[in-house]
Amino acid sequence: MTESRSVRLTSESHCDDFPVLSGTIGPDVIDLRTLPQKTGLFSFDPGLGGTATCTSSITYIDGDKGILLHRGYPIEELALNASFTETAYLLLYGELPTTDEYQVFRTNMNTHRLLNEQIRNFFNGFRRDAHPMAILCGTVGALSAFYHDGLDISQPATRDLSARRLIAKVPTIAAWAYKYSIGEPFIYPDEEMSFSENFLHMLFARPGNHYRVNPVLARAMDRILLLHADHEQNASTTTVRLVGSTGANPYACISAGIAALWGPAHGGANEAALNMLQSIGSREGIPAFLEKVKDRNSGVRLMGFGHRVYKNFDPRAKILQATCHEVIEELGLERDPLLDLAMELEKVATEDDYFVSRKLYPNVDFYSGLILKALGIPTSMFTVLFAVARTVGWVSQWKEMIEDPSARINRPRQLYIGQPERKFVPMSERG
Ligand code: ACO
C-alpha cells in the first residue's frame, strides 16, 4: 500500500486533506480513517458499495473487464489447470504449492475430514425436513464445542489448524445433512479420494452399493467448488471478517458466513434460479415471465442474472457454461426439459435490450444450478455446496484479517433519522 497524493474535502467550515492510497492494481482509495476526528463528520455509504473495508492480497476483481485473480492468477488458468485443493493452498498461503508441499497438505487435509463421532448426535436433533443450510449453520458453529485446541486465535499454528479443519470437515457435515434429510445412513469420508470424489461419494454412495465416481462429474464438481472458493469482500466474507474482528472463534465466524450466504440475493441464488425455471415451466412461458421481470412493480427478478460487481460477463460463468454443456453431454441430458428451458432463457435474455442495456449477464449461479441439477443434487443442497467451496475463502480472509496489525473491531456509524430527544410521557397521560 502506498500513499501517492491527497484529496482536499472542503465545506463552509472545513478544509482538510486526506491521503489517497494505492494498491498493486485497481482503483485508489481515499483514506478516511481520520475523517471524524478532523471534521466531526462521517461518510455515508449504506451497502458499502463505495467503501474499501480492508486491505487484502487474496483476490482481485475488475468487474468492468470481467477479471478475477486469486493471488495474481487468473481464475480461468486456475480452473483449467489446478484442482480445488491446490487452489485452497494458494488462497491460504499465497503461493501455488510445490509437489512436496501439495502432498503434505493434501494428506493432512484428508485426515481432518472425519468428524468427532459425537457430532453424529447433533443431526438427530433436527427435523428430517430441516433445510440443510440450517443444519450446516448450526453444526459448524457447534464445532467450537468440540475442537477446543483450535480456539486460541493468537497462535499462528492454531489458526492454521482451524482453517484446515474447517475446509476438510464442512463437506462431511454438508453430505451428512443431505443423507439425514433423505433418511439414508451417513457415509464416512475416504482419505484416499480427492476432495470432490470424496464429496460426491459421501453424497451418493450407500452401504451395499458400489458407487463409482464418474471422473467427468468429479471434475465438474471440482470446477464448481474452485470457481466459488473466494470472491473478495462479498456479503458473507464481510460477515466473517466482521464477526472475526471481535475476536470470535473461527467456527463461530464461519457459521456466521454460512448464515449470510443463505440469503437469496447471495448464495441462495442458484437455488432460486432453479425454482424460477420450474415456475416458468416451459419455453412457452418465457415471454410472459420476462414481461413480469421488466415490470418494476412486480418485484420479480431474473434469478441467476446480474451481479453487484461484474458489469460485464462474469468470468466464472463463462467457464461453467462450458462445463455445463460437458456434463449434459456426458449424462445424455440434452432432452431434459428444464435444461432445455434454461438454455432458451439464456439465449432470449442475453439478446433482450432490457438486460443488455443494464449489463445483466448470466452469473455463476445460473450455470452452477444447472450443473448441480444434472449431477442429481437437490436444489436445497445448492447453497450448501457454495458454502463448502467458500469456506476456503472465508478462512483465508479470516486468517489475513487476524494477521493484519491494523485490523480493528468493525464498528460502523449511522445517520440517525429518528426522533430527537424528547420527554418520557407516563402511560396514564398518553390518552
Ligand atoms: N433481473 C431483472 N432486473 C435486474 C436484475 C435481475 N436479476 N438485476 C438487476 N436488475 C435491474 C434493476 O431492477 C435495476 O433496474 P433499473 O435501473 O431500471 O432500476 C438495474 O438492473 C440495476 O440493478 P441493481 O439492483 O442496482 O443491481 P445490483 O448491482 O444492486 O444487484 C444483484 C445485483 C443483487 C445480484 C441483482 O442483479 C439480482 O438481484 N440478481 C438476481 C439474484 C442473483 O442472481 N444473485 C446472485 C449474485 S452472484 C453471487 O452471489 C455469487
Side-chain angles (χ1 to χ4, degrees):
M1 181 168 67
T2 54
E3 186 180 326
S4 51
R5 58 200 155 98
S6 62
V7 288
R8 178 158 297 175
L9 297 184
T10 50
S11 69
E12 276 171 18
S13 54
H14 297 288
C15 176
D16 289 288
D17 290 331
F18 292 91
V20 172
L21 306 177
S22 306
T24 352
I25 37 175
D28 293 345
V29 301
I30 307 171
D31 183 351
L32 292 176
R33 280 175 289 188
T34 55
L35 184 70
Q37 293 89 325
K38 280 186 178 165
T39 65
L41 301 172
F42 292 95
S43 61
F44 180 61
D45 183 18
L48 299 174
T51 298
T53 56
C54 60
T55 58
S56 181
S57 51
I58 299 175
T59 291
Y60 173 77
I61 301 173
D62 183 331
D64 290 330
K65 294 192 183 131
I67 291 174
L68 168 59
L69 308 178
H70 287 324
R71 303 284 190 184
Y73 295 104
I75 192 69
E76 295 87 343
E77 288 186 28
L78 291 171
L80 294 179
N81 301 302
S83 67
F84 175 68
T85 305
E86 204 177 336
T87 306
Y89 185 99
L90 174 71
L91 289 167
L92 271 175
Y93 305 116
E95 295 296 337
L96 287 166
T98 62
T99 311
D100 287 350
E101 284 167 341
Y102 182 69
Q103 285 314 330
V104 172
F105 180 67
R106 183 176 187 263
T107 308
N108 177 259
M109 292 284 283
N110 294 4
T111 59
H112 283 303
R113 287 175 179 169
L114 203 60
L115 297 174
N116 182 304
E117 192 61 11
Q118 258 182 284
I119 293 174
R120 278 186 73 109
N121 298 334
F122 290 171
F123 290 83
N124 293 330
F126 289 98
R127 281 170 52 141
R128 288 276 174 193
D129 60 357
H131 196 288
M133 279 300 274
I135 301 182
L136 189 70
C137 201
T139 310
V140 169
L143 292 180
S144 53
F146 276 85
Y147 300 103
H148 296 142
D149 57 343
L151 302 184
D152 180 3
I153 60 168
S154 68
Q155 299 304 315
T158 317
R159 292 197 293 271
D160 195 43
L161 173 66
S162 293
R164 289 180 182 212
R165 253 189 203 142
L166 277 156
I167 297 169
K169 292 187 195 305
V170 166
T172 312
I173 300 173
W176 286 13
Y178 172 57
K179 287 296 196 189
Y180 184 74
S181 73
I182 56 171
E184 287 189 3
F186 298 147
I187 301 295
Y188 282 77
D190 184 323
E191 289 183 24
E192 297 302 316
M193 292 185 180
S194 75
F195 191 97
S196 297
E197 283 168 345
N198 171 59
F199 188 41
L200 285 172
H201 190 256
M202 288 191 297
L203 286 170
F204 295 121
R206 286 197 301 271
N209 80 357
H210 295 284
Y211 176 79
R212 273 196 203 83
V213 183
N214 177 328
V216 175
L217 306 190
R219 197 171 61 236
M221 173 60 81
D222 210 64
R223 207 163 267 177
I224 291 182
L225 295 174
L226 187 153
L227 293 173
H228 285 83
D230 192 51
H231 210 232
E232 206 226 45
Q233 307 311 319
N234 54 82
S236 58
T237 302
T238 301
T239 303
V240 169
R241 280 185 177 260
L242 189 142
V243 177
S245 79
T246 69
N249 74 69
Y251 307 100
C253 295
I254 302 310
S255 173
I258 293 169
L261 188 71
W262 199 349
H266 191 8
N270 53 10
E271 182 176 345
L274 244 279
N275 291 337
M276 172 194 77
L277 289 173
Q278 260 140 7
S279 77
I280 297 173
S282 66
R283 278 172 173 245
E284 291 67 44
I286 293 176
F289 178 75
L290 289 184
E291 279 317 303
K292 235 190 274 170
V293 166
K294 292 179 202 173
D295 173 6
R296 276 165 162 262
N297 302 321
S298 73
V300 178
R301 287 202 160 189
L302 182 53
M303 300 311 285
F305 268 65
H307 199 278
R308 172 57 60 84
V309 177
Y310 294 113
K311 299 303 175 193
N312 197 321
F313 214 90
D314 177 343
R316 302 167 304 167
K318 262 188 202 164
I319 300 162
L320 278 195
Q321 186 183 38
T323 308
C324 183
H325 290 290
E326 251 171 61
V327 168
I328 289 172
E329 198 178 311
E330 172 71 15
L331 296 175
L333 291 173
E334 289 90 344
R335 287 166 208 264
D336 182 300
L338 206 67
L339 296 173
D340 178 65
L341 165 63
M343 295 304 142
E344 181 63 14
L345 183 61
E346 176 200 3
K347 188 170 169 292
V348 175
T350 49
E351 287 169 1
D352 186 309
D353 187 56
Y354 175 93
F355 299 97
V356 175
S357 64
R358 287 171 179 75
K359 300 187 174 180
L360 299 169
Y361 298 93
N363 59 44
V364 71
D365 291 310
F366 188 75
Y367 299 108
S368 67
L370 294 175
I371 298 173
L372 295 176
K373 172 167 189 310
L375 293 180
I377 292 175
T379 45
S380 62
M381 281 294 290
F382 286 7
T383 319
V384 174
L385 260 95
F386 192 165
V388 167
R390 188 52 61 83
T391 299
V392 169
W394 290 331
V395 295
S396 305
Q397 301 263 355
W398 169 79
K399 252 162 61 62
E400 184 182 65
M401 184 208 62
I402 299 287
E403 287 156 17
D404 177 356
S406 68
R408 307 163 71 202
I409 184 168
N410 284 205
R411 176 56 172 91
R413 301 304 300 264
Q414 63 174 6
L415 179 62
Y416 178 68
I417 54 168
Q419 295 284 353
E421 184 171 336
R422 50 183 171 161
K423 207 166 156 35
F424 179 79
V425 181
M427 202 181 286
S428 57
E429 293 171 24
R430 281 178 227 157

